[in-house]
Structure formats: C-alpha cells, structure tokens
Amino acid sequence: MKERIQNGPKDKIYDIDLAYITSRGHWYYTSWKGDVSKSGGIATNIGVHFYDMLTWVFGPVKTNQVHIHTHDRAAGYLELEKARVRWFLSINADTLPDSVKAKGGRTFRSLSLEGEEIEFSDGFTELHTHSYQHILDGNGFGLDEAMNSIQLVHDIRHMKPLGLVGEYHPFAKLNLAKHPFEN
C-alpha cells in the first residue's frame, strides 16, 4: 500500500475508513489494560499500531478530532498529509458487524481505501512475536519512527470528544454501552 501511495498522483488525498474491533471480556476491565492510567486507553492499547501504519503510509497528522471516547470504544477523524481517515476502535463484541457475529468471529479489522476494502481480521496471531524477534535481532524501529503515533494517541487520550458531528465513522452511531462494573 505504501508503494501504491508513493507511486500515485502526488496531489491525491485518499479517503479511508478504518475499523478495528477486538472483543474483550470483563477480564479486560480488571487488568492493567482497563486502567487508562496504565494502558493509555483504547486508542493507545489497540489503536497505536494502526495510527503508526497510517502516518507511515500517508504522512503526518494535520487535523485530529475525536468524536467518541468511552471505556469500550473510540472514534474520530484524522487529516493526514495524503489522507482523510474516519476511524473506529472497540473492544465490545456488540459493535462487530452482523456478518462477523454470524460466523462466530470475535475480531474485525478493516481498512477501506477509496471504497476498496482490505479486510485483515486473520493473520495477526503471531505478529507481536515476530515484531519482538525483529527488535531483538537489532532491526526494530526507534523513537523517531514511533513519535508520530505516540503523540497522536496522547492527543486522542486528552481531547474532549465532539460527539457525532462532522466526518465521523459510521460505526460511531452504534448504541453506547454501560461499563460492566458501574451502576
């Protein structure tokens, strides 16, 4: 994809919809991952890799808006140097598309580039292991390469959500859920 964008029209701004839904149970809220002060929240915990990829392929962030940011999901809009991105992240199985639920799926990863869907729910099983081995072999990325995505998740974590205004991801309209441990 990076080569496709680099070799494409220099003034082209791409339209992207990104959805990453990975079901988690109540254990999530009792672990360090459910504690924003330890995990950084949904955008940091499950979104940082996608933001890293997006900024690597489409360039630095020009605009960053957050529409929803709750205990189980976050959604927003990014303008990058070469892309407009509506994104949605969730750990709530209720937000999975019906087609995924019908097959008993627990994860949905989809990137739509100019209306062309790249669905990549499978194939992530050993990705962390491969990445860590790459780092141990001395071939990892440094802070300079990671800084854009680190800054982006920091900003998302500290922004006040706008609500459903402007360019929001269609999944952002899904009914919000109550935290499982709150009345």
Side-chain angles (χ1 to χ4, degrees), residues 26-40:
H26 292 307
W27 66 267
Y28 181 92
Y29 299 105
T30 60
S31 77
W32 66 270
K33 291 184 175 204
D35 183 339
V36 174
S37 69
K38 295 177 182 171
S39 73

Side-chain angles (χ1 to χ4, degrees), residues 92-162:
N92 185 332
D94 292 338
T95 62
L96 289 165
D98 290 337
S99 60
V100 175
K101 291 178 198 175
K103 296 179 199 171
R106 308 250 327 129
T107 301
F108 177 72
R109 296 178 187 98
S110 173
L111 185 144
S112 175
L113 174 65
E114 296 290 304
E116 175 188 341
E117 184 180 24
I118 304 165
E119 204 275 329
F120 50 100
S121 295
D122 297 324
F124 271 60
T125 309
E126 297 297 324
L127 190 57
H128 281 102
T129 303
H130 292 300
S131 294
Y132 295 141
Q133 185 61 55
H134 198 69
I135 292 166
L136 292 172
D137 292 342
N139 298 316
F141 293 101
L143 186 56
D144 288 343
E145 292 92 358
M147 195 58 197
N148 285 337
S149 54
I150 292 169
Q151 184 65 54
L152 181 55
V153 294
H154 173 272
D155 294 344
I156 289 170
R157 183 170 55 249
H158 292 91
M159 293 176 97
K160 181 179 178 180
L162 301 170

Side-chain angles (χ1 to χ4, degrees), residues 50-76:
F50 295 101
Y51 301 131
D52 192 39
M53 178 270 301
L54 288 168
T55 57
W56 181 62
V57 173
F58 296 100
V61 175
K62 294 168 57 177
T63 301
N64 179 10
Q65 298 174 341
V66 175
H67 297 112
I68 296 171
H69 200 194
T70 69
H71 65 284
D72 70 345
R73 71 193 72 186

